[in-house]
Amino acid sequence: MVKIRVFNGPNLNLLGQREPGQYGQRSLSEIMQELESFADSCGVGLDHLQTNSEGVMVDAIQQAGRDGVDYIIINPAGYTHTSVAIRDALLAVDIPFVEVHLSAVTSREPFRQVTYFSDIALGVISGFRGESYLLALQAILNRIEP
Ligand code: DQA
C-alpha cells in the first residue's frame, strides 16, 4: 500500500481561530479527517503530524525515510520562509513531496513570496484553504495511478 505522510508546521494547530480570513474557518483536525477519509476511499495509507518545533519536524522527516514513506505532503507554515534545516531533511530522505499552503502565499507580503521548498517540490498548491491538502493528495494519486 502506498504510504503518504502529512506534516504541518507551527501555528497550524490554531486553524479555525487563527486569521480565518487567510486560513479559513475549519480546524486542522477537521481538515485532516477529511483528508484521511479521502485517502482511505482511494486505498492509500495516510497519517499526519503537526508540530510547532523545527527540530521535531526534522526528526519526523528523518523517521519518514526509515518508515518507507512514499510521498510527503508538507505545509511548513512559518518555516516555509526560513528553514534550511527542514529543506535539507527533505533532500536527505529523498521522498517526493508536495508543498501546501492554505493561503495564497505569492499574493501576500514579500517575505512570504520566498519559499525554501518550491524548487525541490513536485509542485506547490496554495490558496485553496483546507482544500489545498485534498488537491495535493489528488496530484499524488494521479502520479501513482496507471
Ligand atoms: C501558511 C503560509 C505561511 O506564510 C504562514 O506562516 C503559515 C501558513 C499557509 O498555509 O498559508 O503559518 O503556510
Side-chain angles (χ1 to χ4, degrees):
M1 190 192 256
V2 171
K3 274 199 217 176
I4 301 173
R5 193 156 291 166
V6 185
F7 293 109
N8 283 298
N11 301 306
L12 295 175
N13 55 313
L14 299 180
L15 287 182
Q17 313 153 36
R18 174 191 181 208
E19 299 179 76
Q22 284 298 351
Y23 302 120
Q25 309 270 1
R26 288 196 296 158
S27 68
L28 185 62
S29 63
E30 285 171 328
I31 295 168
M32 290 300 112
Q33 265 170 31
E34 178 187 52
L35 191 66
E36 276 176 336
S37 317
F38 180 37
D40 272 359
S41 69
C42 298
V44 299
L46 182 141
D47 55 22
H48 64 91
L49 170 95
Q50 187 276 328
T51 177
N52 292 325
S53 155
E54 187 176 26
V56 170
M57 182 82 90
V58 168
D59 285 341
I61 291 167
Q62 291 183 9
Q63 186 62 46
R66 292 189 289 273
D67 291 347
V69 167
D70 298 295
Y71 289 92
I72 287 173
I73 295 172
I74 185 167
N75 183 348
Y79 291 133
T80 305
H81 320 294
T82 64
S83 185
V84 175
I86 296 173
R87 174 191 171 96
D88 284 349
L90 288 164
L91 285 170
V93 295
D94 199 22
I95 299 172
F97 73 92
V98 179
E99 176 183 347
V100 162
H101 301 284
L102 298 117
S103 65
V105 282
T106 50
S107 316
R108 298 182 63 193
E109 303 97 316
F111 71 87
R112 287 189 211 274
Q113 296 175 24
V114 175
T115 132
Y116 279 48
F117 299 90
S118 58
D119 63 311
I120 56 167
L122 287 174
V124 183
I125 298 178
S126 174
F128 296 96
R129 308 290 186 263
E131 198 190 338
S132 295
Y133 293 88
L134 292 173
L135 295 169
L137 177 53
Q138 185 63 63
I140 291 170
L141 293 168
N142 292 349
R143 292 174 71 94
I144 60 186
E145 277 166 13

